Amino acid sequence: HFHGPGFLQQLHGRKRWMLYPPGSKPRYHPNETTLHWIVNEYPDLVAAGEGPTHECVLEPLDVIYFPRDWMHATLNLDNYTSFMASFA
């Protein structure tokens, strides 16, 4: 999904982020989970050069900023607590 600009601070646990720049049209079915996408779609996308342009794993106290209209998916790797804020 995408929305306005914002940031997220990971307070506890780990969260994997995959981001595509504005204008990208990633293959992702809205009725499937991110885990399903990672297991079943992601390997083929990466092999075809269509994977996310930016990826990271947030550890406790890490912060990520995402600009307006950047498509992103997240996968919680542990039990987690995070703080997210977006800007209008």
Side-chain angles (χ1 to χ4, degrees):
H1 70 268
F2 64 92
H3 43 75
F7 70 91
L8 179 133
Q9 181 177 20
Q10 192 70 23
L11 301 175
H12 171 78
R14 297 175 303 137
K15 183 184 290 271
R16 181 175 177 183
W17 281 71
M18 288 96 13
L19 298 105
Y20 287 89
S24 299
K25 294 186 175 23
R27 280 189 284 160
Y28 184 80
H29 193 285
N31 293 331
E32 298 292 347
T33 65
T34 301
L35 181 59
H36 179 273
W37 182 76
I38 290 283
V39 170
N40 297 298
E41 305 291 332
Y42 179 83
D44 293 337
L45 291 171
V46 171
E50 299 174 10
T53 58
H54 296 76
E55 294 188 62
C56 65
V57 173
L58 293 185
E59 302 282 344
L61 303 182
D62 286 347
V63 175
I64 188 169
Y65 169 78
F66 43 91
R68 175 178 302 283
D69 297 334
W70 274 70
M71 297 279 291
H72 55 273
T74 62
L75 180 65
N76 298 313
L77 303 176
D78 303 312
N79 291 328
Y80 74 98
T81 305
S82 56
F83 172 77
M84 189 265 201
S86 60
F87 308 99

